[in-house]
Amino acid sequence: MTNGSPGQALLSVQNITRSYGAQPVLREVSLTIHEGDRIGLIGRNGSGKSTLLRILAGQDAPDSGLVTRSQGLRVSLLAQVCRLDGARTVAQALEDAAEVKRSMLARYNALVITLADEALTTGEQARLREEADSLHHALDLADAWDISHELKRIAVSLALPEPERPLATLSGGELRRVDLASKLLQHPDVLLLDEPTNHIDTRSVEWIEGFLETYSGSCVLVTHDRYFLDRVVNRIVEIEFQRIYSFPGSYERFLEYKAVVEDTRARTEDNRLALIRRELAWFRRGAKARTTKQKARIGRLVDVQEEGPPPLHREFIFEIPEPGPLGKTILESRELGFRYGDRWLFKGFNLLMKKEMRVGILGPNGSGKTTLLRVLMGLEEATRGRIVRGDNVEFLYVDQGHEDVKPTETILDFVSGGAKYVEVNKKRIYIPAYLEKFLFDKSSVMMPVGNLSGGERNRLDMVKKLLHGGNFLVLDEPTNDLDLYTLRVLEETIEAFDGCALIVSHDRYFLNRLCTHMPIFEPDNTLCTLDHRLAEAG
């Protein structure tokens, strides 16, 4: 991580504005990326983070303002939507990504051979040697001397699918990891990563952290992983109310800065209101605008009133319909096992759920975490073992798959099939009012879902699933694409939930805060259950 004064400016946006229809997302925003920058870009869902990354990458243009890039600058963007050709295989996609490195290496090797020619003039030798030295430096920075080794290292570290598989046959998580690998292999001067830790297991996340810590280029990343932010970034840039605010240091330092900023805003507003009260009292005592001083004083009162308070975020909650009570027996598994073909995903798993237990399930991708959830709920049959479920248990399952929606489908159609009222636990719920608690205005229920950001769509999908109610939460990767504020609200909701919870997540901070027990998938397909926090378990 680079400390001290910033390096050379590589990429900047100056006073850019970007709107979608009549709705401005970014307004006169300026940002400069320097050599050595590790920028954590944060902000609420829909604040314009992905829009700014697309503009920086040259994939979108601002309505106004200026974008400046250094000559020959190479920029790569890991977007939320994969743009790789589905007809290519995993191996072909990685080879495509490494093409620039291969071209550099081939040119360098050709120069070495040419420089051995004794017939070259002194001037030709000097010119070719300068090019060779420059390429040698670039190959060092890109770690491009052994490309085949680099391909294998990244494929193993990110647990990529088999090389011969076509991209069109991959799951969303598998495709995401291949897309990330392709961007890392390109080794651009500026690497833009939009939620790089989504669908990545803990071991791979830690590898990415180490990769970025020693990365020779600059990077801007959007992520909800607070440990990731703390370890990798040296600057936090927040988009708030269509503006940008830059804070030096880690995410923990940012929180300290933010607390001071918020405190200053609050004191400034208190002073403004106190001034209004004093001036109004003076005015009501019969002040007349007869002298220049009195006119100025009345003018100042008008200005301060018109200035208004600082903008405030609307608060929201993840409201879950009131659950029914759990009985004495909740959920118990005995020597539970599940085999897929010739492979055991897990075996010998014992669990006794008690009231207020929150169990976080850890393990690498493909280890069987989602299958375990489905077996425990009775959606899939166990290969061996026994499960006892209480008669009063009502599972509230929020899976990680997002339903396909037509971009033209309205919010109301998506959530309730167009109905304004639904009945949950014998209670009638008015959907527009329910949605408003999740920051979807009553007036927006007829808005097309296609107008929402990725994070807003994820929040809407969660709203729909939470609406079904239940007394036993089952959450499979609930944190993907949620902003940091929404994550805090979700954490508080789960902590206050009067029931039990099973949670699969790669977000280490999220699990540490919430879970009382943590089954961990071991290499021998058994699950080791811990009754303390991940941080304490090491």
Side-chain angles (χ1 to χ4, degrees), residues 122-351:
T122 302
E124 288 172 332
Q125 273 201 338
R127 178 177 57 80
L128 293 176
R129 189 172 300 283
E130 183 180 355
E131 183 184 354
D133 289 344
S134 176
L135 273 173
H136 191 285
H137 180 63
L139 288 165
D140 277 343
L141 290 178
D143 194 18
W145 295 106
D146 191 345
I147 296 172
S148 296
H149 174 74
E150 180 72 356
L151 286 171
K152 291 177 183 176
R153 184 170 71 96
I154 289 182
V156 171
S157 299
L158 294 181
L160 298 187
E162 296 80 1
E164 66 278 3
R165 286 184 61 186
L167 299 184
T169 67
L170 303 183
S171 68
E174 290 172 328
L175 188 60
R176 179 74 172 172
R177 296 197 298 276
V178 174
D179 198 5
L180 174 59
S182 73
K183 301 305 183 290
L184 298 183
L185 280 167
Q186 290 171 16
H187 209 105
D189 303 306
V190 178
L191 184 60
L192 309 173
L193 302 176
D194 198 347
E195 294 290 358
T197 62
N198 280 0
H199 305 291
I200 307 293
D201 62 35
T202 301
R203 189 178 306 164
S204 296
V205 168
E206 290 172 350
W207 178 84
I208 298 168
E209 288 172 350
F211 180 95
L212 293 178
E213 277 189 306
T214 59
Y215 188 66
S216 60
S218 301
C219 67
V220 181
L221 57 98
V222 174
T223 181
H224 62 264
D225 189 320
R226 287 150 286 191
Y227 287 154
F228 194 87
L229 283 171
D230 256 343
R231 180 173 173 185
V232 173
V233 308
N234 55 19
R235 180 153 65 114
I236 293 289
V237 171
E238 182 181 29
I239 302 179
E240 187 176 43
F241 303 119
Q242 304 163 2
R243 305 280 185 176
I244 272 186
Y245 304 90
S246 182
F247 302 83
S250 65
Y251 180 65
E252 184 177 355
R253 288 285 305 280
F254 158 75
L255 292 178
E256 295 170 0
Y257 280 114
K258 187 71 172 176
V260 172
V261 169
E262 294 294 339
D263 186 52
T264 302
R265 283 180 181 171
R267 287 201 307 270
T268 301
E269 176 61 7
D270 288 343
N271 292 337
R272 187 184 74 89
L273 293 175
L275 176 62
I276 289 174
R277 286 191 294 270
R278 287 196 306 271
E279 296 302 288
L280 276 175
W282 167 78
F283 186 77
R284 287 166 180 164
R285 286 196 298 267
K288 305 295 182 181
R290 291 173 180 167
T291 67
T292 301
K293 187 175 181 180
Q294 287 174 323
K295 288 178 182 179
R297 191 167 177 179
I298 292 172
R300 182 175 62 171
L301 172 61
V302 172
D303 290 342
V304 171
Q305 285 178 313
E306 290 181 348
E307 179 185 316
L312 296 174
H313 289 293
R314 290 173 55 201
E315 302 298 321
F316 81 98
I317 57 173
F318 276 114
E319 182 171 285
I320 302 172
E322 185 176 349
L326 287 164
K328 184 176 180 181
T329 300
I330 300 175
L331 178 67
E332 182 179 359
S333 71
R334 300 170 187 168
E335 296 299 319
L336 199 65
F338 185 91
R339 185 171 59 197
Y340 184 78
D342 295 331
R343 178 191 169 206
W344 284 97
L345 293 183
F346 53 86
K347 55 187 177 183
F349 179 58
N350 297 292
L351 177 67

Side-chain angles (χ1 to χ4, degrees), residues 4-76:
S5 59
Q8 177 187 348
L10 302 176
L11 175 60
S12 69
V13 293
Q14 299 167 335
N15 298 318
I16 64 166
T17 296
R18 184 70 170 94
S19 301
Y20 292 100
Q23 179 64 39
V25 178
L26 302 171
R27 191 193 300 273
E28 297 183 353
V29 160
S30 297
L31 175 67
T32 299
I33 301 170
H34 299 88
E35 288 181 339
D37 268 346
R38 301 282 186 277
I39 296 174
L41 182 62
I42 67 174
R44 299 201 177 198
N45 290 141
S47 63
K49 301 186 297 294
S50 296
T51 298
L52 179 58
L53 289 186
R54 288 195 299 271
I55 291 173
L56 289 169
Q59 296 180 7
D60 197 357
D63 300 325
S64 62
L66 183 65
V67 181
T68 306
R69 295 179 178 85
S70 299
Q71 187 174 5
L73 188 75
R74 294 186 302 114
V75 182
S76 291

Side-chain angles (χ1 to χ4, degrees), residues 399-405 457-458 461-462 465 480-481:
D399 62 11
Q400 60 177 303
H402 301 309
E403 297 182 37
D404 293 329
V405 296
R457 289 192 196 191
N458 191 33
D461 187 62
M462 189 173 294
K465 290 165 181 171
N480 285 346
D481 295 318

